[in-house]
Amino acid sequence: MKKTTARSAAFILALIASQPAFAQLPDPVRALIDEAIAQKDDDAVETVINLAKKTNPDEASALDAQLAAYKQSRAVEIAQAEEAAKAEKYANNGLFENWSGQGELGGFRSSGNTNNVGVTAGLNLEKKSENWRHKLTALADFQRTNGETTKEQFLFAYEPNYTISDRLFAYGLGQYERDRFQGFSSRISASAGLGYRVIDEENISLSVNAGPAWRQTSFIGGGSDSSIAGLGALDFDWQIAERIKLTQDGQIYIQSGNSTVRSITGLEAALSDALSARISYTVEYESSPPVGAVSTDTLTRFTIIYGF
């Protein structure tokens, strides 16, 4: 941070020193330009210099050079201010500070091991620091029909990421699932590995990650299974329009005995600054499901999202 500040200050001083002298520019015009620069009013600086070029065409080249030098110095100052603000924001980043996220509530329709409609609720929390990102996800789908539970699915996941470079990061993952209609009372997964931000633009982003994983499944009919697996995942977000967003999340566990694939495609429409409507389609595939369960489940969710 200190080295960056020193280099920036030296750069600004060099720019100022390199600004051209004006042979024929009237003193009042020069004073007006200097005042606009001192006030750091970008629009005023550009306006005054453009007017000065019209009234003093012989000085146009020198005025253009001064405007370019001013813009470069301002860009350095703004970058410095943003860096300082970022450092200040994360200086006192306690355990319960700087979390953001969204809550989700609505209904679903499923097919596969169950064919019904019910209630869905979710919570996504995220916390960022200078090099770390922590992500918490909780999701529940539930239905009772004629006094009997006909859908009961829960998922909780915690994923810390550590930034190695602008695009490369290391990740960890701890995940708990329960879906007795899919045949298991609990499934615990743990993984760690590397990820890469393939696309990192303002309106579109794509990141992928992969690594080894360990999974332990406890079955409804009794018994359990522990396996080493490989995990691959992707996270895609595309702000199609000002209020329309497309998301695609995918996850695949490859292991002997039973592999799992989960795909969630979502479309969000902003209703206000805090509220959004979302429709999503989830496909879950188990290559070797427990006896009595089918391989593929689908779930269509219609929810209202509150962001905070």
Side-chain angles (χ1 to χ4, degrees):
M1 176 69 179
K2 290 182 179 179
K3 290 182 179 180
T4 302
T5 303
R7 285 197 298 266
S8 301
F11 178 67
I12 293 171
L13 289 173
L15 285 172
I16 294 172
S18 67
Q19 288 183 10
F22 301 100
Q24 301 177 8
L25 197 64
D27 289 341
V29 175
R30 190 180 307 170
L32 195 60
I33 294 173
D34 291 343
E35 179 63 21
I37 290 175
Q39 295 295 325
K40 297 182 180 179
D41 188 332
D42 298 347
D43 292 336
V45 171
E46 190 159 1
T47 300
V48 170
I49 288 180
N50 286 333
L51 288 173
K53 286 165 58 179
K54 291 181 179 179
T55 57
N56 302 271
D58 293 340
E59 301 288 349
S61 296
L63 287 165
D64 283 338
Q66 185 179 36
L67 180 59
Y70 170 78
K71 287 183 175 179
Q72 290 180 33
S73 67
R74 284 289 290 147
V76 171
E77 287 179 0
I78 291 170
Q80 252 187 295
E82 290 176 348
E83 188 177 350
K86 183 179 178 181
E88 183 179 356
K89 177 181 177 181
Y90 298 137
N92 299 307
N93 195 4
L95 180 62
F96 300 103
E97 296 177 328
N98 295 324
W99 286 93
S100 62
Q102 59 185 29
E104 188 173 2
L105 182 64
F108 69 83
R109 179 174 180 80
S110 67
S111 65
N113 287 290
T114 59
N115 293 275
N116 50 40
V117 295
V119 176
T120 184
L123 179 66
N124 291 283
L125 297 175
E126 186 175 80
K127 175 179 178 172
K128 293 182 178 180
S129 62
E130 190 169 3
N131 295 312
W132 286 92
R133 186 191 75 170
H134 302 271
K135 187 176 180 181
L136 288 169
T137 302
L139 186 63
D141 300 301
F142 185 79
Q143 183 196 31
R144 287 181 66 83
T145 304
N146 297 324
E148 294 185 5
T149 300
T150 53
K151 180 71 176 177
E152 185 182 69
Q153 184 177 16
F154 302 101
L155 181 146
F156 178 82
Y158 168 59
E159 182 180 347
N161 288 352
Y162 179 78
T163 299
I164 299 173
S165 67
D166 288 343
R167 293 185 178 268
L168 186 66
F169 62 91
Y171 81 89
L173 175 67
Q175 183 171 289
Y176 168 84
E177 301 170 79
R178 173 183 171 85
D179 189 343
R180 65 188 186 89
F181 290 95
Q182 208 170 35
F184 57 87
S185 58
S186 71
R187 181 159 61 191
I188 299 170
S189 306
S191 177
L194 294 175
Y196 188 77
R197 299 180 182 92
V198 182
I199 304 173
D200 191 12
E201 304 294 338
E202 183 178 356
N203 294 327
I204 186 169
S205 64
L206 170 64
S207 64
V208 296
N209 57 269
W214 172 81
R215 305 181 85 193
Q216 182 180 60
T217 305
S218 297
F219 300 101
I220 293 294
S224 63
D225 176 71
S226 296
S227 300
I228 299 297
L231 169 65
L234 68 85
D235 182 354
F236 175 74
D237 295 312
W238 180 20
Q239 194 72 40
I240 300 174
E242 183 179 357
R243 292 183 172 271
I244 305 295
K245 182 179 180 181
L246 175 69
T247 63
Q248 175 65 56
D249 297 291
Q251 191 180 65
I252 179 170
Y253 286 93
I254 300 176
Q255 66 187 74
S256 62
N258 179 55
S259 296
T260 303
V261 180
R262 178 183 289 111
S263 170
I264 306 175
T265 305
L267 187 64
E268 297 179 17
L271 305 177
S272 67
D273 290 342
L275 289 177
S276 300
R278 173 180 168 88
I279 179 172
S280 64
Y281 183 70
T282 301
V283 179
E284 296 187 25
Y285 172 78
E286 303 283 342
S287 63
S288 299
V291 177
V294 300
S295 292
T296 304
D297 272 348
T298 66
L299 196 66
T300 303
R301 296 183 177 93
F302 303 89
T303 55
I304 295 295
I305 297 173
Y306 177 74
F308 53 90

